Amino acid sequence: MVILSHPTGNANVRHAAEGLREAGLLSEFWTCLAPTEKSAVMRMLPGGVRAQFLRRQLSPELTPFVRTRPWCELGRFVASRLKISSLTRHEVGLCSVDGVYRDLDRAVAARIRRQPAGLKAVYNFEDGSLETFRAAQALGLKRIYDLPIAYWRAGRKIFLEEAEREPEWAATLDGLSDSADKLARKDEEIRLADCVLVASSFTKATLELAPDAPPAVHVVPYGAPVSAAAPVNEKRVGPLRVLFVGSLGQRKGTSYLLRACERLGAAVKLTLIGNRGVGECGPLDAALRRHRWISSCPHSEVLGEMRRHDVLVFPSLFEGFGLVMLEAMSQGMTVITTPHTGGPDVLTDGEDGFIVPIRSEEAIAERLEILASDPERLRAMKDAAARTAATLSWAAYRTETARIVSQSVIGKTR
């Protein structure tokens, strides 16, 4: 049996837990919050706050396995609302993101030291594994590590290069702010892992830079949502409708997308969905005034925007996968992305999307011009993208994750 833990329970985390449950492998699922619509606390909260918390709602089937550690995460939420920055300061704040991860990690480690009956392994994620792995190693338990974004040494190299290439965007590269202690912690987590799960071949390749390469690395791409509504497939009139969804910083290659659209002028209409972030960046601020910008909206509205657009451009320089690509494809969008994402694992270049080099506004502009000038090819690629997304299900992700865990823990495939 396996204890899985993650502070926020993202989509991939929830599906990993479901996969273990379906395979009869899940012992406990530790997270910070597990809200339900019917709880008295949820009913008392304002609508916007309630909706934000309910994004973490788990399936009823997982409820018997859930254990929560809410206090640091609730403190982070309150401190953010009240702007008490000392509590949420990067890494050192008691209720910072790192503080939340460390608090849950210590709680799970304490649970493991009590030696629950039948426990065989722990399944943890980056930045929240060190104390759990140490406790598990002492008891001879298997340690499974999930790395949702590419390895930090590869990212550091790219970010330093990018700060020199695009100095006006350097303040948006938050990947350069981690301390030496945090980076050493990441390496120690990898060293202690018996096997690692990643969502893309790019992430797997970056692990070659680790001082202690893990003995086994498995690529398991994420799944696409089932489209709840048909794409808007009317004959396009006017400019090509281009969409970007993600944090508005240079890790996502934002400057190259903006300059590509500038090259094409009125032939494209760009919508940006994502938070502005905190770094000073004049070119970004100017672009947000010039283009349509939605800072935040519910996930259902994001999917609605996808159905009203033609192409998602996701020119990321450093990614773990980029779930937004599969979400867009499921809504009938073709995708332009880079090799530094999960794109090469799920797309066929020229059929359901395009793979372009990182840092190439020229390549992005060229592909956008192809789609803008050839409506029939655009329609064919959008249809192909929807078909591809339909083959990449979360059910397949759950099954494969459970198979790898079973093989790692008990030496056979279920």
Side-chain angles (χ1 to χ4, degrees):
M1 300 292 281
V2 181
I3 288 180
L4 180 148
S5 66
H6 188 274
T8 59
N10 302 333
N12 55 300
V13 177
R14 294 195 298 271
H15 283 288
E18 288 282 10
L20 298 184
R21 181 193 65 78
E22 291 165 356
L25 294 169
L26 186 62
S27 174
E28 298 172 3
F29 175 24
W30 282 72
T31 190
C32 290
L33 302 171
T36 63
E37 287 185 281
K38 295 181 180 179
S39 72
V41 174
M42 285 297 108
R43 288 199 297 268
M44 289 188 293
L45 293 175
V49 176
R50 183 168 60 250
Q52 185 173 343
F53 275 111
L54 288 177
R55 292 173 65 179
R56 302 189 186 186
Q57 190 170 7
L58 302 173
S59 70
E61 291 79 11
L62 279 177
T63 300
F65 302 92
V66 173
R67 310 290 185 272
T68 58
R69 178 83 172 180
W71 305 115
C72 271
E73 179 67 346
L74 287 173
R76 184 173 75 91
F77 177 79
V78 172
S80 298
R81 301 277 289 191
L82 298 180
K83 302 187 186 307
I84 308 175
S85 59
S86 61
L87 288 176
T88 58
R89 186 170 295 120
H90 181 59
E91 291 192 44
V92 299
L94 179 65
C95 299
S96 65
V97 171
D98 290 280
V100 172
Y101 271 71
R102 290 193 299 266
D103 180 70
L104 183 65
D105 185 21
R106 289 191 294 266
V108 176
R111 170 62 173 155
I112 289 167
R113 293 189 189 100
R114 294 195 292 272
Q115 302 185 39
L119 186 63
K120 300 292 185 183
V122 293
Y123 185 130
N124 287 65
F125 293 76
E126 183 183 28
D127 295 327
S129 302
L130 185 57
E131 297 305 323
T132 300
F133 277 5
R134 285 172 173 169
Q137 183 185 46
L139 294 172
L141 304 175
K142 293 290 185 179
R143 300 166 300 280
I144 299 154
Y145 190 60
D146 197 310
L147 185 63
I149 192 165
Y151 177 57
W152 72 266
R153 290 179 191 270
R156 178 60 61 94
K157 178 177 183 294
I158 290 170
F159 298 153
L160 290 172
E161 293 171 350
E162 200 61 24
E164 186 173 342
R165 289 174 59 100
E166 300 274 344
E168 290 185 289
W169 289 81
T172 71
L173 291 165
D174 55 7
L176 291 174
S177 62
D178 289 343
S179 69
D181 284 345
K182 180 174 179 177
L183 299 177
R185 180 186 175 99
K186 292 175 185 283
D187 280 345
E188 181 66 3
E189 289 177 340
I190 292 172
R191 187 189 70 80
L192 289 170
D194 289 306
C195 78
V196 178
L197 276 72
V198 299
S200 70
S201 298
F202 172 66
T203 299
K204 180 178 181 178
T206 63
L207 278 168
E208 295 175 3
L209 298 175
D212 298 287
V217 182
H218 305 274
V219 178
V220 188
Y222 296 149
V226 177
S227 181
V232 179
N233 280 325
E234 80 278 0
K235 185 175 181 180
R236 180 172 60 84
V237 177
L240 183 73
R241 298 163 297 191
V242 179
L243 182 66
F244 171 87
V245 180
S247 58
L248 295 168
Q250 195 58 5
R251 181 172 75 84
K252 302 289 187 179
T254 309
S255 73
Y256 303 104
L257 164 62
L258 294 174
R259 289 201 292 268
C261 290
E262 288 172 10
R263 284 171 174 254
L264 297 180
V268 301
K269 184 177 181 180
L270 174 63
T271 296
L272 302 154
I273 301 178
N275 292 323
R276 161 65 177 78
V278 296
E280 294 292 329
C281 184
L284 176 58
D285 291 333
L288 296 181
R289 292 190 295 269
R290 186 165 60 252
H291 300 288
R292 180 172 177 246
W293 173 40
I294 303 170
S295 61
S296 179
C297 62
H299 187 250
S300 60
E301 292 183 19
V302 174
L303 296 179
E305 288 290 338
M306 288 175 171
R307 289 191 291 273
R308 292 186 288 272
H309 284 74
D310 298 308
V311 55
L312 178 86
V313 182
F314 191 67
S316 192
L317 309 179
F318 182 75
E319 205 65 46
F321 183 80
L323 183 55
V324 66
M325 294 184 298
L326 288 185
E327 292 174 335
M329 294 167 69
S330 75
Q331 306 306 307
M333 295 184 76
T334 189
V335 173
I336 299 173
T337 191
T338 73
H340 287 198
T341 70
D345 296 293
V346 298
L347 291 173
T348 301
D349 186 43
E351 294 186 13
D352 46 16
F354 290 113
I355 307 293
V356 299
I358 63 167
R359 300 172 172 149
S360 180
E361 64 199 69
E362 298 87 359
I364 296 171
E366 178 185 324
R367 277 30 170 223
L368 288 175
E369 189 171 23
I370 289 171
L371 297 174
S373 62
D374 190 342
E376 291 305 316
R377 182 168 188 183
L378 172 63
R379 175 66 65 85
M381 291 186 71
K382 292 174 67 173
D383 290 344
R387 290 194 299 270
T388 296
T391 69
L392 299 166
S393 69
W394 278 115
Y397 173 83
R398 295 195 299 269
T399 298
E400 181 63 6
T401 298
R403 185 194 69 79
I404 291 167
V405 170
S406 178
Q407 190 173 42
S408 301
V409 173
I410 59 179
K412 66 179 182 180
T413 301
R414 286 176 176 258

